[in-house]
Amino acid sequence: FDFLNPGMLGTHSSFKKRYSSADSDEKTQAELALRISPIILRRRKRDVLSELPPKSEQLTYCDMEPAQEDAYRKLFEIARDKYLTLLKDGNKGRFEILSLLLRLRQFCCHPSLLPDDFNCRGTPSAKMELLKELVLESVDSSHKLLVFSQFPSLLKIARNWLDEKEIAYEYLDGETTNRMERVINFNKN
């Protein structure tokens, strides 16, 4: 806020002194909210574009195939043992613990997302198979589909499959330079 409107909330030290209790004090929270409200614009979809349908979500669960589940259990055992070792070191290993959790999440999405030293290449991915099925259903019913992933490497695997099947798609990631063109093409075609 100091960048947007210098001095609006006072100096850094006066701000800290005045609003340090904002986490626990509702009166202080309300005062701060009132002061910054002219700068914050919150819009709801219904206020901006009333003709849009309500958001619909569909949760789809999938179980790992036996080969993937066996490999996951082995990876989980290794991660658990390492976690127990790191736990003894206190806070020193917390980033390594987060890394272990990240690896388990990657494996669940697609085993080949893990580095080569995990020896997971060729292990099937139940999520990727389900994604393929959902994409084909959407294509058959002429629906558009948005696929999001925290892992761009997973999207690249999906992209390769779409290319093989000659299914039209638009692709956005952090390296995309012509984003608006891609969005417009997705919306029109």
Side-chain angles (χ1 to χ4, degrees):
F1 284 102
D2 195 49
F3 173 78
L4 294 172
N5 194 358
M8 177 180 143
L9 298 174
T11 64
H12 185 261
S13 59
S14 68
F15 176 83
K16 283 176 61 175
K17 186 176 181 181
R18 186 172 190 166
Y19 296 108
S20 62
S21 64
D23 287 343
S24 58
D25 182 12
E26 289 184 22
K27 185 179 176 186
T28 307
Q29 285 178 4
E31 178 190 332
L32 181 58
L34 183 64
R35 290 189 73 187
I36 63 175
S37 64
I39 294 177
I40 295 191
L41 175 63
R42 292 189 179 226
R43 302 185 303 172
R44 294 188 175 104
K45 182 175 75 169
R46 67 175 182 259
D47 299 332
V48 177
L49 209 51
S50 57
E51 67 270 9
L52 284 177
K55 180 170 89 170
S56 65
E57 291 184 29
Q58 176 185 347
L59 293 178
T60 307
Y61 296 95
C62 74
D63 294 321
M64 290 183 199
E65 297 172 10
Q68 185 181 7
E69 190 172 354
D70 289 343
Y72 178 83
R73 286 186 196 283
K74 290 175 188 169
L75 183 63
F76 178 80
E77 293 295 326
I78 292 167
R80 188 183 66 199
D81 292 344
K82 192 163 190 172
Y83 165 76
L84 292 172
T85 303
L86 291 168
L87 200 57
K88 294 174 187 172
D89 292 340
N91 286 336
K92 294 178 187 175
R94 65 180 175 216
F95 288 111
E96 213 168 326
I97 291 170
L98 289 174
S99 177
L100 293 171
L101 292 171
L102 176 71
R103 295 295 184 214
L104 291 170
R105 288 185 61 233
Q106 286 176 314
F107 185 89
C108 289
C109 287
H110 201 296
S112 68
L113 297 182
L114 294 178
D116 289 336
D117 57 330
F118 282 85
N119 298 320
C120 292
R121 300 278 180 224
T123 305
S125 168
K127 279 190 178 181
M128 185 55 66
E129 293 307 311
L130 179 60
L131 175 63
K132 291 174 183 179
E133 185 180 316
L134 293 171
V135 167
L136 292 174
E137 285 175 11
S138 292
V139 168
D140 288 344
S141 58
S142 299
H143 286 97
K144 293 181 180 182
L145 187 68
L146 290 175
V147 178
F148 296 94
S149 177
Q150 176 186 1
F151 308 113
S153 48
L154 178 66
L155 295 176
K156 289 178 182 170
I157 293 170
R159 190 179 184 179
N160 291 337
W161 177 78
L162 291 167
D163 288 339
E164 284 175 21
K165 295 293 181 187
E166 298 179 354
I167 297 173
Y169 64 90
E170 290 297 328
Y171 183 85
L172 291 173
D173 66 13
E175 297 174 4
T176 304
T177 54
N178 57 344
R179 298 178 84 75
M180 205 58 217
E181 182 182 324
R182 301 277 186 165
V183 171
I184 290 168
N185 196 37
F186 176 82
N187 288 330
K188 286 186 178 179
N189 299 327

